[in-house]
Amino acid sequence: MIDEQAVRDSAKYLRNVRPIDPEEVADYVSGGAHPAVVRQTLREASYDLGLREREDGTFVPVDSDPVPDPEWGPEAFPEPYARALEDELVGEYGANWHVGDSGDELRAAIRRLKRDYYHENPVEYDRTAALGYAIYHLPDYYAVIGYVMADLIENGLLDRRLRVLDVGAGVGGPALGLHDVLPADAVVEYTAIEPSPAADVLETMLGETRPSFRSTIRRETAESFLGLESGKKKNAKDRNGDETDRADTDQHANGDTYDLVLFGNVLSELADPVAVVTAALDVLADDGSIVALAPADRNTATGLREIERAVVDESAGDEGGADASPNRDVTVYSPTLRLWPDAEPDDRGWSFDVRPDLAVPPFQARLDEAADRGPTDEPGEFINVDVQFADAILRTDGTRRVDVRADPERHLRMADSETHVTDRVDLLCVKLSHDLADGGNPLFKVSDGSETVDHYAVCTRETSLNDTLLTAGYGAVLAVENVLVLWNDDEEAYNLVVDDGTVVDLVAP
C-alpha cells in the first residue's frame, strides 16, 4: 500500500520547482514505492493537484489560460470512436451484426425510439435499444456539444482544469465531443450519471479518451445522485470498470462542485426535470455553467424552454417571499438572452440552431443498406447526420454571453407589440432561428425576452442596410430600426416586416 499523502505532499512541493518525475517522488515515499504506482497515484490526483502528464512521463502544472477556440466544425464522426462502436456491435452480434435477426432487432429498436420520442412516450432502454441509440445518435450528439461549448469558450469561461457532471450521459456523444473540444493538455474529472444499459456502451466509448480525461460512471438515477430520493447509492465504476468506494451519501455532500453540469438530451425523459435542474444548482461551482441540450423537434425544444424559464423564474422567487427559491439566482447565459430587466418571455419558445451535416458514418450506412424495402420505400431511414439542436446555458454569477440591454427610450418592448400594430418601430432582439421560409420571403424567429406571443422578422426587400438580418448567426443580437409591426392571424404571431426602409445592425455576433 503506497503512502498517497506522501506522494501528494511531494508533488505539491516539486510543482513549483521542476517537472515532477515519478521516479524521484518514489524515493521520497517512506518504505519505498514503484515509480509506476507513483505515476498512477499522480494521475488519479491530477485534478486536485492541478497537474497534467507530459509525453515524457513527468507532471507539470495545468496551464492557467482558458480553453482556446477549437474552431469546431467536424465533418465526420471520428474514426476511432466509430471503430469502438463497431467493435461493441461485433462483440454483441458478430461480424454480420447489421443483417439477419440482429440487424432487424436494431432497426426495430431505432424505429421504436423515434416513435416514442415523437409521441412523447416513456423511453426504455435495454441492451439492444442502447446500441440502436448509439448507431443513430452518437454522431450528431458528438457534434452538437462542441458548437454549444463555443459560446462559453469565446468568453474565456471554460478552463483547462475542469470537473464535469454529465446527467443522463447515455452512450457518450456529448462526452466524446467535450473531450475533443478541449485541448490535449486539459485535465478533466468527468462523472457520468447513467442508470440504463446505455452505461455499458458509454464505458466502451470512454475507453477511447486520453488518460487526463478521468471518467467515473455512476449507475444510478439523477434523482438519487442529487438527493431527490432516499435509498442507498450504488457504487460507481471508474474507467477500468473497478468499483469506487462510495459511502451512502451524495457526492456533493462531500464538498465536490462541478464547473460544468450537462443535461444532454435527457430532460424530456425525466419525471420532474425542473426539480432535477434546480437540484443541480446545489452542485454547481459559483462560476460554473449548466448546459442543457434537446433535439430540435417542437416537443423537446419547447419543453427545454419551459424548463429553462421555470428554473430561472423560480430562482428569483416571489419578491423574496415564501415561494423564493433557496438556490442562487439563475441567469440565461445564452442563447435566449433577456434584453429587458425583470421581463419574462411567455411565447411558444420553439427555437433551434442548425449546423452543417456530418458525413454518413459507416455503421449507419451498413444498417440502412441491409434494410428490407418495398418498391416505394426510400433509403435513409437509419441515417442521421443532421446537426440541429436546441440548447440553454444557465449560470448563477450573472454572466451573460453579451451584456446588452434594451433602452426604453429607444426600443419597443415586444410585450407591447399589440399596441403598435401597423406602426413602424425600433427594437433590439436576438435572432433565434435560421431561415424558416419554404421558398418565400426569408423568415426568422426573433426575441427580446419580454414577448408573450411569437415574433418573426420577415424580409420582404433585401438591401445593403438590412441584409445583416440574413447573414447574422444564430444567437446574434440585432438592432432593428423602422420595422413594420403586423399581426399574422393565420400563425397567431407578430410579423416584423423588414423592407427597404428598415435598417438592421449587428450589436453582438
Side-chain angles (χ1 to χ4, degrees):
M1 181 69 70
I2 190 172
D3 186 347
E4 294 185 4
Q5 190 57 51
V7 173
R8 287 172 174 259
D9 290 343
S10 298
K12 289 177 183 177
Y13 169 73
L14 291 172
R15 60 171 290 150
N16 297 318
V17 178
R18 55 183 173 273
I20 300 167
D21 187 336
E23 292 190 7
E24 179 183 2
V25 174
D27 293 336
Y28 298 150
V29 178
S30 177
H34 194 283
V37 178
V38 173
R39 176 172 287 106
Q40 183 60 28
T41 302
L42 290 172
R43 285 174 176 170
E44 293 173 356
S46 59
Y47 178 88
D48 292 335
L49 295 172
L51 298 175
R52 66 175 178 89
E53 186 175 4
R54 301 196 303 187
E55 291 185 2
D56 64 4
T58 63
F59 292 77
V60 295
V62 177
D63 195 329
S64 60
D65 290 339
V67 171
D69 182 1
E71 298 183 357
W72 186 256
E75 298 179 354
F77 188 55
E79 183 179 345
Y81 302 147
R83 190 167 53 247
L85 176 57
E86 291 220 46
D87 287 345
E88 188 84 352
L89 291 163
V90 170
E92 183 72 17
Y93 302 112
N96 292 319
W97 60 268
H98 54 293
V99 298
D101 290 344
S102 57
D104 290 341
E105 290 176 6
L106 288 165
R107 283 184 285 270
I110 292 172
R111 288 191 182 106
R112 186 169 58 253
L113 287 167
K114 292 164 69 173
R115 184 174 62 250
D116 287 342
Y117 270 109
Y118 181 80
H119 292 290
E120 298 183 88
N121 296 328
V123 179
E124 297 183 4
Y125 296 96
D126 56 16
R127 173 69 170 167
T128 302
L131 289 169
Y133 188 92
I135 292 169
Y136 196 74
H137 278 305
L138 256 180
D140 66 306
Y141 288 175
Y142 166 85
V144 163
I145 190 66
Y147 290 117
V148 177
M149 287 295 101
D151 271 1
L152 293 170
I153 292 171
E154 70 177 5
N155 281 336
L157 295 175
L158 206 63
D159 291 335
R160 284 175 159 88
R161 182 186 179 197
L162 203 62
R163 178 177 276 134
V164 180
L165 178 65
D166 191 350
V167 181
V171 294
L176 298 177
L178 176 65
H179 173 271
D180 286 4
V181 161
L182 299 173
D185 62 356
V187 173
V188 181
E189 195 169 274
Y190 169 87
T191 300
I193 308 300
E194 183 50 62
S196 81
D200 296 327
V201 183
L202 173 65
E203 188 172 1
T204 295
M205 303 312 297
L206 289 174
E208 298 299 310
T209 59
R210 53 186 173 264
S212 60
F213 194 92
R214 293 196 55 80
S215 56
T216 300
I217 300 175
R218 299 291 297 267
R219 297 171 185 253
E220 61 182 305
T221 65
E223 292 85 353
S224 173
F225 181 84
L226 294 170
L228 294 176
E229 63 182 36
S230 59
K232 185 175 178 61
K233 307 295 186 293
K234 297 177 183 178
N235 284 340
K237 284 191 175 182
D238 63 18
R239 66 184 299 132
N240 299 315
D242 299 324
E243 288 194 347
T244 59
D245 184 16
R246 297 286 186 180
D248 185 20
T249 57
D250 296 323
Q251 184 170 352
H252 63 268
N254 296 327
D256 289 346
T257 59
Y258 297 89
D259 307 295
L260 191 63
V261 179
L262 298 179
F263 290 93
N265 309 290
V266 70
L267 290 175
S268 62
E269 300 179 27
L270 300 178
D272 191 347
V274 174
V276 173
V277 176
T278 300
L281 295 172
D282 293 335
V283 303
L284 186 68
D286 290 341
D287 58 351
S289 300
I290 286 181
V291 174
L293 311 173
D297 66 88
R298 182 177 62 185
N299 290 334
T300 54
T302 57
L304 175 62
R305 291 291 163 245
E306 291 171 1
I307 295 164
E308 168 196 300
R309 293 169 182 180
V311 172
V312 171
D313 298 339
E314 287 181 11
S315 75
D318 185 12
E319 296 183 357
D323 294 334
S325 170
N327 297 287
R328 298 161 289 180
D329 285 347
V330 182
T331 301
V332 176
Y333 174 85
S334 73
T336 56
L337 292 172
R338 300 186 178 189
L339 302 178
W340 292 92
D342 304 322
E344 301 172 5
D346 194 29
D347 62 327
R348 181 174 54 165
W350 188 10
S351 63
F352 57 90
D353 199 355
V354 180
R355 297 302 177 106
D357 291 354
L358 299 171
V360 177
F363 49 82
Q364 287 185 3
R366 272 192 271 279
L367 190 67
D368 193 72
E369 290 167 0
D372 290 330
R373 293 190 177 89
T376 60
D377 292 336
E378 293 291 332
E381 181 181 1
F382 305 100
I383 301 297
N384 181 28
V385 294
D386 297 338
V387 183
Q388 302 182 19
F389 57 95
D391 70 293
I393 301 180
L394 307 178
R395 291 178 65 91
T396 61
D397 60 359
T399 303
R400 303 155 73 232
R401 188 176 70 83
V402 291
D403 191 18
V404 176
R405 301 285 185 182
D407 183 349
E409 300 296 323
R410 296 177 53 199
H411 301 125
L412 167 73
R413 185 188 293 254
M414 288 184 180
D416 300 327
S417 291
E418 182 178 6
T419 61
H420 291 274
V421 173
T422 72
D423 291 343
R424 285 188 174 269
V425 302
D426 299 342
L427 53 84
L428 196 68
C429 65
V430 181
K431 182 179 176 181
L432 288 179
S433 78
H434 294 254
D435 187 359
L436 299 173
D438 186 14
N441 293 321
L443 180 74
F444 306 91
K445 177 175 174 57
V446 293
S447 164
D448 68 359
S450 75
E451 68 277 6
T452 58
V453 177
D454 286 344
H455 284 62
Y456 296 93
V458 54
C459 185
T460 59
R461 184 169 297 179
E462 180 183 353
T463 71
S464 60
L465 295 178
N466 66 30
D467 63 356
T468 298
L469 174 66
L470 282 66
T471 60
Y474 180 85
V477 180
L478 305 176
V480 185
E481 298 180 10
N482 201 38
V483 66
L484 177 63
V485 181
L486 296 178
W487 172 251
N488 185 328
D489 203 39
D490 292 336
E491 299 295 334
E492 296 185 338
Y494 290 102
N495 282 353
L496 305 173
V497 180
V498 176
D499 56 22
D500 54 4
T502 308
V503 177
V504 181
D505 288 323
L506 182 66
V507 176

